[in-house]
Amino acid sequence: MSERDDSLDVIAPPVRAVAVRGETLEVSPLRLEQLPAFISASRPLIGRVMIALTMAEVGATLEMGALLLDVLEQDARAFAQAAAVVTGRSEEWLAGAPLNDIAELAEAIVAVNADFFARRLPALISAGQAAVSKARPSTAIRGPSSSTSSSPAVTSAETS
């Protein structure tokens, strides 16, 4: 995406329309006020999804499929909570949606927030780490140092 396209996304963030249970929901990028609730709700999913993506990259499709089935079984409520934060619909309403609708909704949530989570957040973290490293005093020892705690006067008196 060009710089011009990025600046247009700031003026008019990407919105994606998704049909869920016969209704059209608009999915837009998360707002700061939504972030704590979204992260809390999606925390059980994040690790498993990251592992599944890694498995997909190395071609372990059978293992990835098994892990995704675990996610669906054990973390369906967490997804419904996270999706409720994004869409403003209730968890119960979302839980009653067909799996194809949920898959479309998940894709839309990831797509409209990918720029922040994949590009901007890592850049912010790197910038923060660089600032901390630059501000941290150097731990390198400068000049000569003694390996004992005795003063030169005491040392020369003892050795004479």
Side-chain angles (χ1 to χ4, degrees):
M1 198 176 249
S2 71
E3 282 185 39
R4 182 159 167 44
D5 290 340
D6 282 343
S7 64
L8 290 176
D9 283 350
V10 172
I11 295 168
V15 175
R16 198 158 153 190
V18 180
V20 178
R21 297 184 67 176
E23 294 184 28
T24 301
L25 303 181
E26 287 192 354
V27 178
S28 58
L30 286 163
R31 297 182 312 274
L32 181 60
E33 65 190 354
Q34 294 173 307
L35 208 51
F38 180 80
I39 291 172
S40 292
S42 61
R43 189 170 304 279
L45 301 166
I46 294 170
R48 291 179 194 227
V49 169
M50 295 305 293
I51 292 168
L53 292 172
T54 302
M55 288 177 171
E57 288 175 2
V58 298
T61 54
L62 184 61
E63 294 86 351
M64 182 192 72
L67 183 63
L68 290 176
L69 286 175
D70 284 348
V71 168
L72 291 172
E73 174 195 13
Q74 298 169 14
D75 299 320
R77 182 156 191 241
F79 179 80
Q81 290 172 334
V85 171
V86 174
T87 63
R89 300 304 302 247
S90 74
E91 294 172 40
E92 295 77 19
W93 188 85
L94 290 162
L99 288 179
N100 284 340
D101 291 0
I102 293 301
E104 290 287 326
L105 180 59
E107 288 175 13
I109 291 169
V110 169
V112 299
N113 290 289
D115 179 62
F116 176 75
F117 287 107
R119 187 172 66 92
R120 294 185 186 213
L121 184 60
L124 287 170
I125 291 169
S126 294
Q129 289 172 333
V132 167
S133 294
K134 188 175 181 180
R136 188 176 293 150
S138 175
T139 57
I141 298 173
R142 293 193 171 90
S145 65
S146 173
S147 61
T148 65
S149 59
S150 60
S151 69
V154 172
T155 304
S156 55
E158 287 178 0
T159 58
S160 309

